[in-house]
Amino acid sequence: MAASLFDKLWEGHVVDHLGDGMDLIRIDRHLIHDLSGPASLKMLSERGLSPRAPELTFATPDHRVSTEPGRTGGGSPANDKALAVLRRYCDRYGIQLFDLNDAEQGIVHVVGPELGLTLPGLSLVCGDSHTCTHGAFGALAWGIGNTEVTQVLAAQALIVERPGSMRVSFEGELGPSVSAKDLILHLIGREGAAGGARHAVEFAGEAVTGLSMEERMALCNLAVEFGASFGLIAPDETAFAFLEGRRFAPKGELWEAALQSWRRLPSDPDARFDAEIRIDASTVAPQVTWGVSPEDVVAIDGRVPDPAAAEGEKQAEARRHALDYMGLEPGAPIEGTPIQHAFIGSCANARFGDLAAAAEVVRGRKVADGVRAWVVPGSQAVKRAAEAAGLDQVFRAAGFSWREPGCSMCLAANGETVPSGERAVSTSNRNFVGRQGPGARTHLASPVTAAASAIAGRLTDPRRLGAGG
Amino acid sequence: MTPFESFASKAVPLPIDNVDTDVITPIGRVLEGAEALVRYAFESLRFAPDGSLRRDCPFNDPAYAGARILIGGENFGCGSSRETAVWALAGMGFSAVIAPSFGGIFFSNCFKNGVLPIVLAAEDVAAVARHAAGGSEILVDLGRQRVSAGALERSFEVPALRKEALLDGLDDLGLILKRQEALAAFETRDRLERPWVYLSPA
Ligand code: SF4
């Protein structure tokens, strides 16, 4: 029978069917970080258990670390303590840790693929919702809670409910200054933040196959903001070329055998999906959020929605609440809204290609007065590559600060926050109330839109600055 | 975990869509520890900027004191995987959440902590919320998989495995560990087919 990529991934990992759609799934790779890791490791030891396959688990601190140049820890006693706990357990259990100033430290979802820990056909979990990022390689990857982290450590397997399947096809070519981030924000705006709920979503279509791996990761990164259980892209030559030679990727004969197996993963031509969505990518403009959910999004040349035009009282009330929190006027053009902060970072958009695209916008220009602009590379490897290409100089010359890798202002767990009532354009993935700090106002956008906005001091259509595709 | 028993209780209606886990447990409070998690759960909804309790928030309404059920909107618990969101709900005394849909990871986290997430059709959730308004009790019967709100009675789905785990007060780990033999057999087969997956020799 014809099978989809998701069918093949799922069935390839079922150890046992447990009824009612619940399956025992074998876990191939496990990533750990300094926010969910310490408590889960502690739970494991308190239950008198130890890891079943520590060689398949890898750790790196990212969420709570300072990204201040010259950092020595987490920027607070509590964060330093969490880091110490992570170190102690990794050491005790033989879990490889890419520690604070290790050459491979960075945000887990940037580091996994860089090291070839993420591979097509693997099942991969992490105590972090954006683990769906790794689905860009055709891996069965999803975020789990603390209890499940402990279970994976103890048993290398999880009980999971099989979701339905959905295919989202982006046809046509991307317009100028439009990136994967704009595609996924557009999709979430159109279908809602629960549009993909209880579904494994495969992204397909020529606009997707034409994307670099970095762009594909940005697309899959926000699958969870679409409510999806998984975000997947069929592995192809682009994925294989990205992975070949990476530290933990198979080598020699194993690589060849793996390639053969991976080439069988893409959905069969007549595979069936429970739901299908088609979007003409050429009609998608650069996107920016106006509210407090990623579904609150408009084209950069659009207007802030009016609660009076909402469908029903519940939506009207939600819009009033969002506009009140965001300090925006209904019906006003979103472009031109003054900002005080620009954050280029996070597991959505802090890879080399993101920084390079933003640097092209910034080159030879200056950050507007009154804007605090940061670039936080996604990993040490990204930072090194960017510095080798001179991007750090471009950003510095424009007035950006160039920082150490970590989650930083995406999560605001390390004192790196947007002050209450102030407004940020951010390349991260969540504009929730208080996400970047209590009272912080977040506008999600692509790297080029964030860069153009930092220069102008207001939300700005990157096409005005001639930002490249 | 304490075994889950059927109960009747007041229910707090929170008719807001996309309530995310950052709203349920803001990161600053997560870092402060277990007590702050609960005290400041739903902080931006429950507290005014000056730190006083908001009178217009249903969580602060004495009519719902002692409620063990929360009635949420679409996509309740979306966002971050932080299990602290469920820990906070449990800490506030909630044993069940009724909503039209849930964030996936939150949904799964609930079962690991003795909290029952119940999916009902949006109009039924609204009807249950109307009944609950002002403090009328709702009955949650996990054994029979039914919710009763006055004359309204609705059944809900829950996989047998999860139901039993809740009723017995167990998380999945025991179940998983019981299947270590099946897992070992799977791995022996799989190691031949996908040797590159296994980063160390058997
Ligand atoms: S960068 Fe943001 S979204 Fe990504 S893992 Fe870190 S905190 Fe989560």
Side-chain angles (χ1 to χ4, degrees), chain A residues 37-281:
Chain A
S40 301
L41 286 158
K42 213 161 152 237
M43 267 155 64
L44 182 79
S45 110
E46 281 167 3
R47 291 181 78 152
L49 298 161
S50 53
R52 183 174 182 276
E55 73 280 6
L56 301 180
T57 296
F58 296 82
T60 190
D62 53 5
H63 283 68
R64 304 179 69 164
V65 300
S66 164
T67 66
E68 182 91 50
R71 69 182 176 195
T72 55
S76 76
N79 287 348
D80 289 343
K81 196 173 150 215
L83 189 52
V85 172
L86 184 69
R87 284 177 180 145
R88 189 169 69 238
Y89 283 112
C90 285
D91 187 49
R92 179 188 302 175
Y93 293 137
I95 293 168
Q96 185 155 359
L97 170 70
F98 303 107
D99 206 342
L100 197 58
N101 292 320
D102 189 286
E104 306 299 352
Q105 180 267 339
I107 306 173
V108 273
H109 311 309
V110 179
V111 168
E114 277 172 359
L115 289 175
L117 291 169
T118 310
L119 296 172
L122 294 187
S123 60
L124 182 153
V125 295
C126 172
D128 187 278
S129 56
H130 292 101
T131 309
C132 51
T133 309
H134 307 260
F137 291 85
L140 187 70
W142 75 102
I144 57 178
N146 288 89
T147 305
E148 288 175 316
V149 170
T150 303
Q151 293 177 349
V152 172
L153 286 166
Q156 211 59 36
L158 279 178
I159 296 174
V160 198
E161 189 168 4
R162 182 171 181 154
S165 65
M166 178 187 286
R167 178 161 59 190
V168 177
S169 304
F170 290 102
E171 306 295 351
E173 268 184 43
L174 296 187
S177 303
V178 176
S179 68
K181 181 67 158 294
D182 301 302
L183 290 182
I184 187 72
L185 284 173
H186 174 79
L187 172 71
I188 297 167
R190 207 181 90 154
E191 304 291 329
R198 306 190 80 168
H199 282 80
V201 176
E202 176 173 347
F203 298 107
E206 54 181 315
V208 172
T209 47
L211 295 174
S212 68
M213 284 320 299
E214 297 184 329
E215 288 281 286
R216 292 182 194 185
M217 284 188 258
L219 189 65
C220 289
N221 180 273
L222 278 91
V224 67
E225 311 310 329
F226 182 47
S229 312
F230 301 89
L232 302 168
I233 295 175
D236 61 3
E237 299 307 317
T238 306
F240 307 150
F242 179 100
L243 292 169
E244 189 168 9
R246 302 256 170 197
R247 181 158 156 195
F248 293 94
K251 309 272 160 26
E253 279 176 27
L254 269 189
W255 172 257
E256 294 303 324
L259 273 184
Q260 272 195 27
S261 156
W262 297 342
R263 289 202 165 103
R264 292 193 294 268
L265 284 171
S267 294
D268 299 335
D270 45 353
R272 294 193 36 199
F273 295 85
D274 299 320
E276 287 253 21
I277 292 174
R278 281 195 185 78
I279 289 179
D280 181 355

